[in-house]
Amino acid sequence: MTQFEQKLERYAELIVKIGVNVQPGQQVYVTGSVEIAPLVRLVASKAYEAGASNVHVDWTDETLSRLKYEKAADEFFTVYPEWEAAKRNAFVDANAAFVSIVSQNPDLLKGIDPQRISNFQKAAGKALEYYRRAAQSDKVSWTVVAAASKDWAAKVFPGESGDSAVNKLWDAIFNAVRLNADNPVEAWKRHNANLHAKVDILNAKHFHKLHYTAPGTDLTIELPEKHVWVGAASTSASGVSFMANMPTEEVFTVPYRNGVNGYVSSTKPLSYGGNIIDNFKLTFENGRIVKVEAERGQEILQRLVDTDEGSHYLGEVALVPHESPISQSNVLFYNTLFDENASNHLAIGSGYAFNVEGGKEMSPEELEACGVNSSITHVDFMIGSAEMDIDGIHKDGTREPVFRQGNWAI
């Protein structure tokens, strides 16, 4: 076995043990590209070794995906197959563990009619609402991880040859998920404890608002009265600890839906719908996005904001220090899973139920009454930099520094 094969096997073990924490008798639902089949198969093998009763794999193929967007009938993009949604819902009801392995080419759908992309995003968002709510309320264990692919690697390392670029991307992924530690599982347990220490501080502070200032940004975000900061490991309805994102460097909560005012500028490109959106600015009034500006991907971004009424509002506010390992690597991944863990970020769309007290047991109407936004989409975008300051504002108007020059001040 080569050194790379050994690392890939350790990665699969990390995904199964820390990512979704597969339990004996549990089913596992995996999505991944045919290009990264070796990792998918290893994940399946490690899941069975952990006692999984069944591992179901949904394969994707980027060449076929591009062909579909180029040549399929227009009406295809307005409807999501009912059987696809029913299949995923059945795995939710069976308390399956969900593993999503991302490896997409950030430019996969460059040049495709934005209307087709928007239509399919809306159709999929509506059809998969049951699954999305289950994930966002921690009903099931789930994780999103990554694997290197040729096209993605070429985007991240354009000056490298094909194999060299892929190898460098794998190295960057392995470093980001702490796979090079002597004991990656124990390293993740320590990292989990460190993030929870920040969570405890923020929950004790119980700020009423956060005020962000940076070049191109002057934004005030009100937080719900019952907001809860979380970070790193989550716990499913059946009491199983899992890591929703690997890597993760963030602590996050939910903003009050109608309490966002000011403007914010992006600091990293956003890969969305097979396209790159870059150098953009959003302006908010009473929570709602009232102006969208972008140097690149303006139409794609506007269609994202116009997905539904909820996509005109924010669903997440996340804090990540500029000195985080991914940021310090100076690698721009063009993939939100990584780039959001190198930067403070926000999310357009739905909020997580577990970010308010008792939220996991609340109905959609009860969550709305607490100020949690609802939408068929949830898209993170990066706003942090070494020039960003954040103040926590108490109800009496007093302020405390939370971030200074991009890093923790508490």
Side-chain angles (χ1 to χ4, degrees):
M1 186 180 292
T2 67
Q3 186 178 31
F4 173 75
E5 289 171 335
Q6 290 175 345
K7 285 188 175 183
L8 204 63
E9 185 169 353
R10 291 174 71 194
Y11 187 30
E13 183 177 28
L14 197 64
I15 292 167
V16 168
K17 288 186 176 181
I18 296 295
V20 285
N21 193 5
V22 173
Q23 300 296 295
Q26 190 175 27
Q27 295 195 69
V28 181
Y29 183 100
V30 184
T31 57
S33 166
V34 294
E35 186 178 344
I36 57 161
L39 177 59
V40 175
R41 292 171 186 142
L42 281 171
V43 167
S45 177
K46 294 299 179 181
Y48 282 124
E49 290 175 15
S53 60
N54 173 53
V55 178
H56 174 84
V57 178
D58 265 351
W59 296 101
T60 60
D61 184 302
E62 290 199 339
T63 299
L64 291 176
S65 296
R66 174 79 191 193
L67 282 171
K68 184 171 291 184
Y69 273 96
E70 288 176 340
K71 300 187 177 185
D74 285 339
E75 56 267 26
F76 169 83
F77 300 98
T78 62
V79 179
Y80 191 87
E82 291 183 9
W83 60 269
E84 281 276 16
K87 177 177 63 176
R88 183 145 342 179
N89 293 346
F91 278 98
V92 169
D93 291 340
N95 190 35
F98 291 80
V99 179
S100 176
I101 307 176
V102 298
S103 57
Q104 291 93 336
N105 172 9
D107 294 316
L108 177 65
L109 300 182
K110 184 177 181 180
I112 295 294
D113 181 1
Q115 185 66 56
R116 288 192 160 206
I117 298 170
S118 176
N119 285 346
F120 193 68
Q121 295 283 359
K122 289 180 183 179
K126 291 177 182 177
L128 297 175
E129 182 176 7
Y130 183 76
Y131 163 73
R132 185 178 66 256
R133 288 191 181 278
Q136 291 181 347
S137 62
D138 284 351
K139 180 178 179 180
V140 294
S141 57
W142 57 280
T143 192
V144 182
V145 297
S149 63
K150 290 182 179 179
D151 288 338
W152 180 22
K155 181 73 173 180
V156 178
F157 299 107
E160 301 288 335
S161 63
D163 288 343
S164 175
V166 171
N167 291 337
K168 289 192 72 170
L169 183 53
W170 271 122
D171 286 342
I173 291 171
F174 290 155
N175 281 326
V177 298
R178 294 172 164 77
L179 196 71
N180 293 323
D182 290 338
N183 186 326
V185 171
E186 288 302 317
W188 270 93
K189 290 179 180 179
R190 291 192 298 271
H191 180 50
N192 183 47
N194 290 336
L195 287 177
H196 276 288
K198 292 299 185 185
V199 165
D200 291 342
I201 293 172
L202 288 167
N203 281 328
K205 296 289 186 183
H206 198 72
F207 292 118
H208 178 53
K209 296 179 180 180
L210 296 177
H211 181 210
Y212 293 71
T213 55
T217 293
D218 188 348
L219 188 72
T220 301
I221 300 177
E222 184 176 346
L223 305 176
E225 178 61 31
K226 295 183 177 181
H227 76 273
V228 176
W229 289 91
V230 300
S234 302
T235 303
S236 72
S238 56
V240 175
S241 175
F242 67 95
M243 200 73 62
N245 287 347
M246 297 180 73
T248 183
E249 302 290 338
E250 66 179 309
V251 298
F252 63 97
T253 191
V254 63
Y256 180 66
R257 184 181 190 270
N258 299 321
V260 182
N261 288 280
Y263 54 89
V264 63
S265 296
S266 67
T267 53
K268 292 181 182 291
L270 170 62
S271 176
Y272 173 76
N275 286 268
I276 296 295
I277 305 168
D278 200 6
N279 293 327
F280 59 93
K281 181 179 178 180
L282 302 177
T283 302
F284 296 80
E285 290 182 6
N286 298 320
R288 200 173 197 274
I289 298 172
V290 295
K291 188 175 182 181
V292 175
E293 304 167 82
E295 291 183 11
R296 180 180 179 187
Q298 168 87 24
E299 185 176 1
I300 296 290
L301 179 58
Q302 186 65 61
R303 289 181 184 276
L304 165 59
V305 172
D306 292 338
T307 299
D308 60 11
E309 180 57 23
S311 56
H312 290 79
Y313 297 81
L314 295 180
E316 180 186 335
V317 48
L319 302 179
V320 181
H322 184 68
E323 64 184 13
S324 75
I326 298 175
S327 176
Q328 295 304 300
S329 73
N330 293 316
V331 176
L332 178 59
F333 285 87
Y334 295 97
N335 181 293
T336 302
L337 174 63
F338 291 86
D339 292 334
E340 73 170 7
N341 286 299
S343 169
N344 289 320
H345 56 275
L346 306 171
I348 292 169
S350 60
Y352 291 104
F354 52 75
N355 278 134
V356 292
E357 295 175 19
K360 293 183 181 182
E361 290 75 43
M362 288 183 183
S363 67
E365 293 75 21
E366 289 171 323
L367 287 168
E368 182 179 351
C370 286
V372 180
N373 188 41
S374 177
S375 173
I376 63 173
T377 193
H378 178 100
V379 178
D380 298 272
F381 63 99
M382 288 60 72
I383 64 168
S385 72
E387 300 176 276
M388 174 164 278
D389 290 341
I390 304 174
D391 283 346
I393 305 175
H394 294 281
K395 277 193 172 181
D396 64 4
T398 58
R399 291 173 172 254
E400 290 186 50
V402 177
F403 266 59
R404 286 295 181 267
Q405 295 182 324
N407 290 309
W408 287 108
I410 58 174

